[in-house]
Amino acid sequence: MKSDRHVPVAIIGGGFSGTIIAAQLARRGVGSALIDGSGRAGKGVAYSTTEPTHLLNVRAEGMSAWAGEPDNFAKRFEQEGGERSDFAQRRLFGRYLGEILDEAKSSGNVQQFDAVAVGAVRDGDGWRVSFDTGDSIGADGVVLAIGNQEPDALRAFSGVTQGFVGNPWGGDAISAVRDLAETGGNALIVGTSLTMVDLALSLDAASFRGRVVALSRRGLIPRAHADFDPAPVEGAEVPAGSVRHLWKWLRRRSAENGWRAAVDSLRPHSHALWQSFNEDEQRRFLRHSRPWWDVHRHRIAPEVAATVAQMVADGRLEIVAGRIVSARDSGEGMEVEFRRRGRTNSETEQFRYALNCTGPLHSIEHTKDPLLRSLLDAGAVRPDQLGIGLEVDDQSHALGGDRLWALGPLTKGRYWEIIAVPDIREQAATVADDIARRLKT
């Protein structure tokens, strides 16, 4: 059914990216519709957790949702008895975002639609966005604020019919944690990054006493935050255009100032550095440097690191560098064969569950999102040069479509460091300015 409803901007996705762009547009007097059928609008996957042990990976003082207002969240957190240098519970940050969305809606500039956007087509000078309900809405412009998507399927588990969880952020993962805590069965986590940490914390909080094997190609896990003396650098001091030269520079700076200071000194220059790499250099970074960069750049709270370390010390968690050879159904779960790195012989273990924590979708062409799929198939958007997101210009305007913007992880190909709140809030402010300017002309 075609609706006569029309808004200046349709925002697809109600996580942090969608919430803050809606709020930024509201501040500029630009109306929008926030479209999200997940039931998590205003929080998204990351901040809808109710688990107290799930903490922010950035201190409260760095987590303002608003560009140009660095103390916005810290002040709110202090009012609840926290310290700005603390790592707040993620559920508190989710409540903070919900309040921002409520304020934006109360201004009359934001409407919320609890529906799944399944398609978007050109409609005159604007767009028509269709929903899974059969309804649709017209808009002058569209913002794609679809966050991280579930990981690619793991071929080794294609024949497994029970106990395999492909989406670590969905209801199946929550049920698996509950069942493991009740039965004490063993679990395999494929991937050893931040999502693995979240699952380990959830299992520990549920008094799980079974065994977890967390396996990835290199067996690297996120490092912990710690105090250090900053060592800022000017952009001209950092070698651009070559991953090898940058890595040599980073090693030298780490020896002189500590690795945390060295890594953090690159944060103001990350977008320019990434864009200084040609396609071959960017692919080289993804193949060889990304795992090391991720565990040093995206760190975890000290108390979280301590919990993970205790689980390892207790024998409840084993971090393995290796690869999956095969998997098959076996009794109440599965039998998995894997080979540790550097060994010729493989070993086989029985697991009640295996959970895919290999990280967000790496290839945009594999997306299961119906709206993105429709836009890609129609040529209204196109993959970036690496195929990891959408091609956008320096205003995050999606190339291939008019009055169509993308935010957050969808723009990794252009910016790379664009998955955390401190980066996305700046992007959202820039995009809001661009939208306000374009829609008024």
Side-chain angles (χ1 to χ4, degrees):
M1 177 179 70
K2 184 174 180 178
S3 170
D4 291 331
R5 287 175 296 183
H6 189 95
V7 293
V9 181
I11 301 169
I12 316 301
F16 175 75
S17 298
T19 297
I20 198 58
I21 189 66
Q24 286 280 10
L25 288 171
R27 282 190 169 186
R28 291 160 176 77
V30 179
S32 67
L34 186 66
I35 303 163
D36 188 298
S38 70
R40 296 185 291 237
K43 296 179 181 179
V45 172
Y47 307 113
S48 61
T49 178
T50 59
E51 181 58 65
T53 59
H54 288 170
L55 305 183
L56 295 173
N57 296 323
V58 177
R59 299 180 193 275
E61 60 193 359
M63 285 294 290
S64 172
W66 295 101
E69 300 178 31
D71 293 333
N72 193 265
F73 177 67
K75 288 179 178 178
R76 172 77 169 75
F77 186 50
E78 285 176 326
Q79 291 172 359
E80 298 194 5
E83 298 288 339
R84 60 180 51 228
S85 59
D86 289 346
F87 295 87
Q89 294 179 12
R90 291 214 304 259
R91 62 180 183 173
L92 297 182
F93 191 78
R95 191 168 69 199
Y96 163 73
L97 289 181
E99 292 169 356
I100 289 175
L101 179 57
D102 288 342
E103 182 180 354
K105 289 194 294 186
S106 68
S107 73
N109 286 317
V110 179
Q111 305 172 54
Q112 183 178 329
F113 288 81
D114 297 321
V116 176
V118 296
V121 295
R122 295 292 295 173
D123 185 17
D125 292 333
W127 292 85
R128 181 150 294 275
V129 179
S130 55
F131 304 154
D132 60 343
T133 59
D135 205 351
S136 66
I137 190 171
D140 297 324
V142 171
V143 176
L144 303 174
I146 300 163
N148 287 319
Q149 299 173 68
E150 65 180 85
D152 270 317
L154 297 178
R155 283 183 292 180
F157 294 88
S158 59
V160 173
T161 62
Q162 56 184 351
F164 178 69
V165 178
N167 180 3
W169 308 303
D172 287 347
I174 295 173
S175 297
V177 168
R178 187 181 305 116
D179 186 53
L180 285 165
E182 292 174 355
T183 64
N186 293 337
L188 172 67
I189 298 178
V190 186
T192 57
S193 58
L194 293 172
T195 307
M196 179 279 292
V197 171
D198 275 355
L199 281 171
L201 292 174
S202 294
L203 287 166
D204 183 68
S207 299
F208 170 70
R209 287 297 177 266
R211 178 171 178 268
V212 177
V213 173
L215 180 148
S216 67
R217 184 178 173 186
R218 296 174 177 83
L220 298 173
I221 65 173
R223 277 32 174 187
H225 282 281
D227 293 333
F228 62 89
D229 293 325
V233 295
E234 297 295 328
E237 300 177 51
V238 184
S242 168
V243 173
R244 185 168 62 88
H245 291 159
L246 178 60
W247 224 241
K248 283 185 175 181
W249 180 92
L250 193 55
R251 287 197 188 99
R252 186 177 68 252
R253 290 281 298 181
S254 295
E256 295 170 353
N257 303 286
W259 66 263
R260 291 179 178 84
V263 169
D264 282 14
S265 73
L266 295 180
R267 291 184 63 180
H269 316 297
S270 60
H271 292 174
L273 281 171
W274 178 252
Q275 291 165 15
S276 76
F277 298 151
N278 61 28
E279 182 179 337
D280 287 342
E281 287 295 306
Q282 289 178 345
R283 292 188 183 278
R284 183 171 291 112
F285 176 89
L286 295 179
R287 284 196 308 272
H288 303 297
S289 303
R290 175 183 180 177
W292 302 93
W293 173 258
D294 283 351
V295 299
H296 290 87
R297 166 67 180 87
H298 302 290
R299 303 192 282 274
I300 54 179
E303 47 265 63
V304 169
T307 298
V308 172
Q310 189 62 56
M311 291 184 71
V312 171
D314 292 343
R316 292 184 292 138
L317 173 63
E318 181 182 7
I319 307 298
V320 174
R323 67 180 185 88
I324 305 294
V325 177
S326 65
R328 55 188 175 275
D329 288 327
S330 176
E332 292 187 1
M334 69 199 73
E335 197 173 72
V336 180
E337 181 184 1
F338 60 94
R339 181 175 296 119
R340 296 175 187 265
R341 192 170 189 178
R343 296 188 185 178
T344 56
N345 296 327
S346 58
E347 53 194 275
T348 301
E349 281 199 40
Q350 181 83 17
F351 296 100
R352 189 173 182 88
Y353 287 96
L355 301 102
N356 183 1
C357 295
T358 55
L361 185 69
H362 299 306
S363 171
I364 195 66
E365 287 288 4
H366 295 169
T367 182
K368 296 178 183 177
D369 184 90
L371 179 77
L372 280 178
R373 183 76 270 154
S374 71
L375 290 170
L376 286 164
D377 291 345
V381 295
R382 55 182 182 251
D384 58 48
Q385 73 279 8
L386 301 172
I388 59 178
L390 300 180
E391 188 176 2
V392 297
D393 63 17
D394 58 3
Q395 296 294 317
S396 299
H397 193 259
L399 301 182
D402 185 37
R403 294 186 173 186
L404 181 64
W405 292 263
L407 286 181
L410 285 176
T411 63
K412 284 188 295 186
R414 182 172 186 86
Y415 301 111
W416 183 246
E417 287 289 314
I418 199 68
I419 59 173
V421 165
D423 301 305
I424 297 174
R425 71 184 177 213
E426 304 298 328
Q427 183 187 32
T430 300
V431 168
D433 285 340
D434 190 48
I435 291 174
R437 182 175 63 253
R438 291 198 189 211
L439 295 191
K440 287 179 181 178
T441 58

